[in-house]
Amino acid sequence: FFVLSGYLITSILLDARSLGLGQFLGRFYWRRSLRIFPLYFGFVLFVVAVWLLTGFPTGTGKQLPWLATFSFNFYMAFAHQAGLEQTFHHLWSISTEEQFYLFWPILVWVLGRKWIAWASLGLILLAPVIRGYEPLLGECFGSQATSGGKLIYYLPFGHVDAFAIGAVLAAVIQGPWRQKPVLWGTLLTIPAIVIVVREVTRYALGNLSEWPIHLGFPMSSMLDGFHLWGYSAVYLCFGGCMILVLYGADYLWIKRLATTGAARETGRISYGLYVFHWPLLLVLEHFMPLSDSLLLRLVQFVVYLLVLVAIAWANHRYFESWFLRQKDRYFRNA
């Protein structure tokens, strides 16, 4: 999500850089607000109404100020208390996204294409260092409820290389990966593949008690220095996949998959899928606890997926689409 966002947002900003600063920022924030705010605040207000009527989900009142100010990632890092229902758990990442919007447009407008590319490369190299020092923030603020690994996961600073990788792909139009996309795409995915193979091999050899459900990318692990290099491997992998999709030949399976009608439709309703996937899971698990039978659990997953897609489609068709049509209402196109 962050890598893709870095690419898309940087592309949009570079295309609009010919506008004056007022038009440049006004157009960007107007369009982003129409994309993000209606569904986000609509969902939050709906849950708040349920909470006022029923008292559930517990902890909503405490979480509301953080949600309203798009600082929920800081809540998860410093103020979160175990035991509170996690209806909003997934919204930490939209907070990180909004914080990215605060400073990146100014940087792009001031620096331009060439220097934003160099700045992004610097952030890619600096990110592991930032992640190495982030746990010290927990000590400074006296955070004891959250481990150092989760602190890195939730705070925005350790994810700067994700946005930066996408930004480089957007800013460097004639990069070497454009001439040799298969080579570069493959090279960037190798570190992540090696980690996955290692974890699966360790499991197969009996060194793990259970299947590694994160395939080598546990969100809070600091084992073997994962917090320093593991995130970089993940983000570079997605950068490699993007290179293959953007510049690879049409016969590549990943490009064919990404350009199908199903993939495009999924992208169109993806924001609704993101917002609703977690609360829907909590609701369905409450009324339909997961079965011990693998077959029944597969049926449950299919039911969950169908309901989720239906909700996301209806949300886009009857709610989001009206706001999206207002994007070009007040600010001229670049």
Side-chain angles (χ1 to χ4, degrees):
F1 174 54
F2 295 151
V3 176
L4 180 61
S5 180
Y7 173 79
L8 292 173
I9 296 303
T10 305
S11 299
I12 291 169
L13 292 170
L14 287 172
D15 288 343
R17 192 169 173 267
S18 59
L19 300 175
L21 181 60
Q23 280 281 331
F24 175 82
L25 293 177
R27 180 176 183 272
F28 175 76
Y29 286 121
W30 170 253
R31 294 172 66 87
R32 286 292 89 196
S33 297
L34 288 170
R35 183 72 180 101
I36 302 298
F37 288 4
L39 178 55
Y40 176 87
F41 286 112
F43 168 70
V44 170
L45 289 174
F46 173 78
V47 176
V48 169
V50 173
W51 169 66
L52 291 174
L53 292 172
T54 67
F56 293 96
T58 58
T60 297
K62 181 178 181 180
Q63 297 168 5
L64 191 56
W66 303 84
L67 291 163
T69 55
F70 288 104
S71 56
F72 196 66
N73 49 349
F74 283 86
Y75 168 83
M76 294 301 297
F78 294 118
H80 168 62
Q81 295 178 359
L84 295 181
E85 294 195 42
Q86 291 302 300
T87 309
F88 302 113
H89 180 93
H90 58 309
L91 297 183
W92 71 270
S93 57
I94 202 70
S95 295
T96 299
E97 182 78 5
E98 289 294 305
Q99 289 152 19
F100 170 65
Y101 295 163
L102 287 178
F103 73 92
W104 197 250
I106 297 293
L107 281 180
V108 172
W109 196 84
V110 171
L111 297 179
R113 185 179 297 275
K114 177 182 176 181
W115 288 108
I116 204 66
W118 282 111
S120 298
L121 287 172
L123 289 174
I124 294 171
L125 297 175
L126 186 62
V129 179
I130 295 174
R131 287 192 284 268
Y133 282 98
E134 269 190 291
L136 296 178
L137 286 175
E139 299 177 12
C140 293
F141 286 93
S143 175
Q144 299 177 354
T146 308
S147 69
K150 287 187 177 180
L151 201 72
I152 294 168
Y153 182 78
Y154 288 120
L155 292 181
F157 317 112
H159 298 290
V160 293
D161 48 342
F163 294 104
I165 288 170
V168 168
L169 294 180
V172 185
I173 298 177
Q174 297 298 331
W177 45 82
R178 191 176 187 122
Q179 284 72 43
K180 297 182 178 180
V182 174
L183 173 63
W184 281 88
T186 303
L187 287 176
L188 292 179
T189 58
I190 286 177
I193 294 173
V194 169
I195 297 173
V196 171
V197 171
R198 185 193 71 166
E199 292 299 301
V200 174
T201 302
R202 287 174 61 194
Y203 170 79
L205 295 177
N207 294 327
L208 293 175
S209 60
E210 59 182 15
W211 175 259
I213 60 173
H214 295 287
L215 288 179
F217 309 124
M219 71 175 191
S220 59
S221 175
M222 297 177 68
L223 185 66
D224 300 328
F226 173 85
H227 61 298
L228 301 178
W229 52 266
Y231 284 72
S232 299
V234 174
Y235 295 143
L236 288 172
C237 176
F238 282 103
C241 291
M242 285 186 60
I243 288 173
L244 293 173
V245 171
L246 289 169
Y247 305 120
D250 291 340
Y251 63 79
L252 292 176
W253 68 268
I254 190 171
K255 184 160 187 172
R256 294 172 64 182
L257 177 65
T259 53
T260 61
R264 292 181 184 276
E265 182 64 20
T266 301
R268 196 167 67 92
I269 66 172
S270 61
Y271 186 34
L273 294 174
Y274 161 75
V275 169
F276 295 120
H277 84 277
W278 184 252
L280 179 63
L281 181 64
L282 296 179
V283 170
L284 290 184
E285 282 192 337
H286 177 76
F287 292 101
M288 188 174 60
L290 287 176
S291 171
D292 293 331
S293 166
L294 183 61
L295 180 60
L296 289 178
R297 187 173 291 199
L298 179 62
V299 172
Q300 289 175 308
F301 172 72
V302 172
V303 170
Y304 162 74
L305 192 61
L306 291 175
V307 173
L308 175 61
V309 170
I311 293 174
W313 178 87
N315 160 74
H316 186 276
R317 174 66 178 83
Y318 298 108
F319 182 69
E320 279 189 276
S321 59
W322 186 89
F323 295 96
L324 297 178
R325 287 195 295 269
Q326 314 306 313
K327 278 187 171 185
D328 294 319
R329 187 167 185 174
Y330 296 113
F331 296 91
R332 64 187 177 90
N333 288 326

